[in-house]
Amino acid sequence: MRSPSERPALEVRDLETRIDTKLGLIKAVDGVSFSVDHGETLGIVGESGSGKSITALSILRLVPKPAAYIARGQVLLDGEDLLEKSETEMRKVRGKRISMVLQDPQTSLNPVFSIGFQVVEAIGMHADAPRKTLVRRAVEALRRVRVADPERRVDDFPHQMSGGMKQRVVGAIALGSFPSVLIADEPTTALDVTIQAQYLRLLKDIQQETGLSIIFITHDFGVVARMCDKVAVMYAGRVVEYGPVREIFNSPAHPYTKALLNSVPAVEEDVDRLYSIKGQPPAFWDMPEGCRFEPRCDVAMQRCKTEYPNKFARASTGSGAHYADCWALEEPEWIPSRS
């Protein structure tokens, strides 16, 4: 953890991304804020369509233009606001200081180019070095992500590799220039359980060796428990709860977080029917007037229908900031927060 005088590796403040659709202008990311310290892992969880991936793309300024654009906010990478940089300056940042691993390695790799060519191309974007040096660095990058016999595999094509190996190659591309922040967008979705465990262990090992900061986007609370120090729970474009993983697992505050945790099957319990969250997330072009989770919430009050909740923070517990957007938290243990 950082001291008060140290700035986080990445800090997102009040980020808002809008998309112009046939059904109107929507806020796909609506006032999202969080931070990641050096060597720390932040998990971003939520159902499909909650805004996790578009938040990541907004951080890297890769939202699909011209329909999508960032309306306001700050993205501070080691104190520098990425939203104020030109596109030319951003090309020097992406891959060098902050990288992203996309969901599906099958579509992230070009099938007509060798693995070595693609890793070299990524490293060469940020290094003015002879071809032999770049190839050597590509081999080292593949070795770092535990690709066996990397000197030979650099000449292979994507179709010659398994899904797990492709995911490692995508990781080598992302980590080849030693970024300080890595965004991993559901990188284990296409992998079987055994390979998932190996890949997660690999990311942890690399983090310990390099001090890498990781934003891990997932819908799997098991992955969050294993990988993350903090977690941001997203729903309908907003972060509805944020705090240390252990505290959120032990005492979740927002009804949506509680519902997500209840949806995780417990192996030791014998139940006739698994828990599920009733209803569906709201459409972005037809948001409720008040709390966005109100139509699905078991503890909603009349106020929830008309007013979006204030952000309430748990009174200091010494384990880090923990806040949630819920009117039910108007009690002594929780105080209004501007975080």
Side-chain angles (χ1 to χ4, degrees):
M1 293 296 176
R2 70 182 189 275
S3 68
S5 61
E6 293 177 328
R7 61 168 62 106
L10 180 71
E11 185 174 10
V12 177
R13 297 178 181 172
D14 205 23
L15 183 64
E16 181 179 307
T17 299
R18 301 178 182 180
I19 303 177
D20 193 4
T21 72
K22 293 180 179 179
L23 297 173
L25 192 65
I26 66 172
K27 294 181 181 179
V29 180
D30 190 3
V32 166
S33 299
F34 56 78
S35 66
V36 190
D37 290 335
H38 294 276
E40 185 178 59
T41 302
L42 168 72
I44 301 181
V45 299
E47 294 169 283
S48 296
S50 61
K52 305 185 300 296
S53 294
I54 195 68
T55 297
L57 294 174
S58 298
I59 291 171
L60 289 167
R61 286 179 47 191
L62 291 175
V63 295
K65 298 177 180 178
Y69 63 94
I70 299 171
R72 61 184 172 91
Q74 290 181 300
V75 178
L76 304 175
L77 180 63
D78 287 324
E80 297 181 33
D81 191 354
L82 300 186
L83 302 187
E84 293 182 351
K85 292 185 177 294
S86 67
E87 184 56 36
T88 300
E89 290 172 326
M90 277 303 299
R91 290 194 190 101
K92 297 177 182 178
V93 172
R94 299 188 197 106
K96 177 67 175 178
R97 298 174 58 193
I98 179 169
S99 291
M100 184 171 179
V101 176
L102 300 174
Q103 290 188 26
D104 187 1
Q106 307 283 359
T107 57
S108 298
L109 297 172
N110 192 320
V112 302
F113 292 110
S114 69
I115 295 301
F117 178 90
Q118 297 182 63
V119 180
V120 165
E121 181 183 39
I123 296 174
M125 291 283 292
H126 305 286
D128 185 12
R131 174 76 181 180
K132 287 185 177 180
T133 301
L134 294 177
V135 171
R136 185 173 66 251
R137 288 184 57 180
V139 169
E140 291 171 355
L142 291 172
R143 183 176 289 113
R144 194 179 310 121
V145 295
R146 315 291 194 270
V147 172
D149 196 9
E151 291 85 359
R152 181 179 63 83
R153 300 308 295 267
V154 290
D155 295 323
D156 286 354
F157 287 81
H159 72 273
Q160 296 174 281
M161 290 187 151
S162 66
M165 282 295 106
K166 289 178 187 177
Q167 192 62 273
R168 291 175 186 237
V169 170
V170 171
I173 292 173
L175 298 170
S177 295
F178 299 96
S180 60
V181 178
L182 175 70
I183 301 174
D185 187 1
E186 301 197 33
T188 60
T189 299
L191 307 179
D192 62 51
V193 175
T194 303
I195 302 303
Q196 279 187 26
Q198 293 176 359
Y199 191 76
L200 295 177
R201 192 180 308 117
L202 171 63
L203 285 180
K204 272 292 188 184
D205 290 344
I206 292 174
Q207 185 178 46
Q208 291 173 1
E209 293 168 6
T210 64
L212 181 70
S213 301
I214 301 175
I215 297 176
F216 205 98
I217 298 172
T218 182
H219 55 267
D220 188 338
F221 263 105
V223 172
V224 170
R226 178 171 184 170
M227 289 290 296
C228 302
D229 303 295
K230 297 187 300 192
V231 60
V233 181
M234 288 195 71
Y235 186 78
R238 287 180 178 251
V239 173
V240 296
E241 186 165 3
Y242 174 86
V245 165
R246 182 172 297 180
E247 190 165 318
I248 286 183
F249 268 77
N250 292 337
S251 55
H254 197 281
Y256 179 58
T257 308
K258 295 176 183 178
L260 286 177
L261 289 170
N262 287 336
S263 299
V264 179
V267 177
E268 67 277 5
E269 293 183 5
D270 184 14
V271 295
D272 295 328
R273 188 179 183 87
L274 295 176
Y275 176 85
S276 63
I277 306 173
K278 65 182 182 182
Q280 296 290 330
F284 275 95
W285 54 86
D286 187 25
M287 287 290 182
E289 183 179 349
C291 176
R292 296 176 181 184
F293 189 61
E294 180 273 328
R296 310 173 71 188
C297 183
D298 294 328
V299 297
M301 303 173 284
Q302 184 60 36
R303 187 179 190 180
C304 302
K305 297 179 182 293
T306 57
E307 299 177 60
Y308 188 84
N310 289 336
K311 193 177 296 297
F312 292 93
R314 185 184 291 276
S316 180
T317 60
S319 58
H322 180 187
Y323 59 77
D325 299 359
C326 183
W327 287 122
L329 300 179
E330 284 190 309
E331 53 189 73
E333 185 183 3
W334 293 82
I335 56 176
S337 172
R338 295 182 180 179
S339 299

